[in-house]
Amino acid sequence: MRYWRVERRQAEGQLDFGRTLELMAAIGHADVNAVAGAILKTVSTVAPIAQCTIFAYEFGNRPRTVAVADRRGGRFLQDIADSYARHYYALDGNQRVIAPAPGRKIDPAIVLHQQASDEIDHPGYRAACYQKPNVSDRLSLLVQPAGDIWLSVNFYRDSSQGQFQAGEVAGIETLSPLFAHAVKHHYSLNGQNTQGVAPMMLARLRQHCPALSKRELDVLRCVLEGLTAVEIAEIMGVQPSSVTTYQKRAYKRLGISSQRQLFALCMAPAPV
């Protein structure tokens, strides 16, 4: 598992102009998955890639799936992406970049993060996001379109293709500024419109109480979206009693005792 800043380099050879036009046309497209599909076709000119996903990590909340592309078709990859966003994102090695330890700053340039299946210790995460979709290796392009927002473009290798080789990584690195430019513009056109009120409210809650855990924030987000404990439990894959525990713990940290006070706190001025 490793991550590194992308050093801009001149591309070797020639990039297919048709692929580039297709990628530009996919920016802001009504088909939410068009941009992931165009990126998958373009990156496959330098390395065999089976799948591509794009996630948005907004204000420290659980990620939101922006787009997916799978050579097999169907919604199999969408289901895997949803499972990752609900249960496993906090275990991802990319959190060292997206949510670094306090006092540790990473230059918000383009960052590449590589994570192979055999580098994941958590059996549930490894089984759901690597073994089930038959993935051997993943290379992620991480870029920050704005403060407290990260976008992740993920390239997955099928187990039959083995892990990424150095030359393939170099080829993807050469194309990464193009992909970063495309997803940032796509997000500005399509992504931000689907954020909703809850992520912005959660950002305010995190300002009031940075100690809130990811699980507590997940529950609070669902509460702000009007979901019941049973519905939240189904989304998070836990028991309703666990949802209640997370909610009570979060309320205690925030110094409140009701949903009404939660909404009031979201609307209160940020602490100085």
Side-chain angles (χ1 to χ4, degrees):
M1 188 180 302
R2 63 192 183 109
Y3 60 87
W4 66 99
R5 277 190 57 181
V6 171
E7 300 296 337
R8 295 178 182 268
R9 63 177 73 182
Q10 186 172 352
E12 297 179 2
Q14 293 184 341
L15 178 63
D16 188 324
F17 188 59
R19 295 286 189 217
T20 306
L21 289 177
E22 184 178 354
L23 177 55
M24 295 300 104
I27 296 174
H29 198 283
D31 178 358
V32 295
N33 294 321
V35 68
I39 288 176
L40 180 60
K41 289 180 181 179
T42 304
V43 76
S44 295
T45 61
V46 296
I49 307 291
Q51 305 156 359
C52 173
T53 61
I54 303 173
F55 290 105
Y57 299 80
E58 299 154 328
F59 311 107
N61 303 322
R62 58 186 170 87
R64 181 168 54 81
T65 306
V66 175
V68 302
D70 189 345
R71 294 196 177 282
R72 292 169 295 191
R75 57 165 294 118
F76 177 75
L77 183 57
Q78 181 69 56
D79 292 339
I80 298 296
D82 291 345
S83 178
Y84 165 84
R86 290 178 181 178
H87 308 300
Y88 302 113
Y89 75 95
L91 301 169
D92 195 331
N94 69 17
Q95 292 295 303
R96 298 178 188 177
V97 179
I98 294 170
R104 183 164 182 235
K105 299 292 185 180
I106 292 182
D107 189 342
I110 302 171
V111 178
L112 287 177
H113 174 253
Q114 186 175 6
Q115 178 175 271
S117 175
D118 56 12
E119 295 174 318
I120 298 175
D121 295 328
H122 191 280
Y125 177 27
R126 186 172 61 252
C129 298
Y130 281 74
Q131 293 174 344
K132 184 177 180 180
N134 203 34
V135 168
S136 60
D137 202 0
R138 185 200 70 187
L139 190 64
S140 299
L141 185 161
L142 305 170
V143 62
Q144 216 174 0
D148 292 325
I149 298 175
W150 282 89
L151 301 176
S152 174
V153 183
N154 307 289
F155 305 115
Y156 305 91
R157 290 276 279 210
D158 187 86
S159 294
S160 64
Q161 299 167 337
Q163 295 186 1
F164 286 103
Q165 300 302 304
E168 295 169 331
V169 173
I172 295 172
E173 186 171 352
T174 298
L175 293 175
S176 59
L178 171 66
F179 297 148
H181 181 79
V183 297
K184 285 170 68 174
H185 280 277
H186 180 76
Y187 180 78
S188 68
L189 292 172
N190 276 18
Q192 293 179 333
N193 296 333
T194 59
Q195 281 183 30
V197 177
M200 302 296 291
M201 288 181 166
L202 280 186
R204 181 60 56 85
L205 293 179
R206 290 177 67 239
Q207 289 179 305
H208 281 282
C209 183
L212 287 167
S213 71
K214 291 186 180 295
R215 282 296 199 183
E216 291 163 357
L217 284 166
D218 283 345
V219 169
L220 292 179
R221 176 177 184 168
C222 292
V223 169
L224 291 169
E225 291 173 347
L227 302 181
T228 66
V230 173
E231 291 170 330
I232 298 172
E234 183 177 351
I235 289 173
M236 295 180 60
V238 299
Q239 296 297 318
S241 58
S242 297
V243 172
T244 302
T245 298
Y246 287 129
Q247 185 175 357
K248 288 181 178 179
R249 191 183 300 163
Y251 279 11
K252 184 177 181 179
R253 291 186 194 274
L254 292 167
I256 60 176
S257 58
S258 68
Q259 185 173 335
R260 181 177 179 180
Q261 290 178 315
L262 176 65
F263 279 96
L265 188 59
C266 289
M267 300 303 174
V272 179

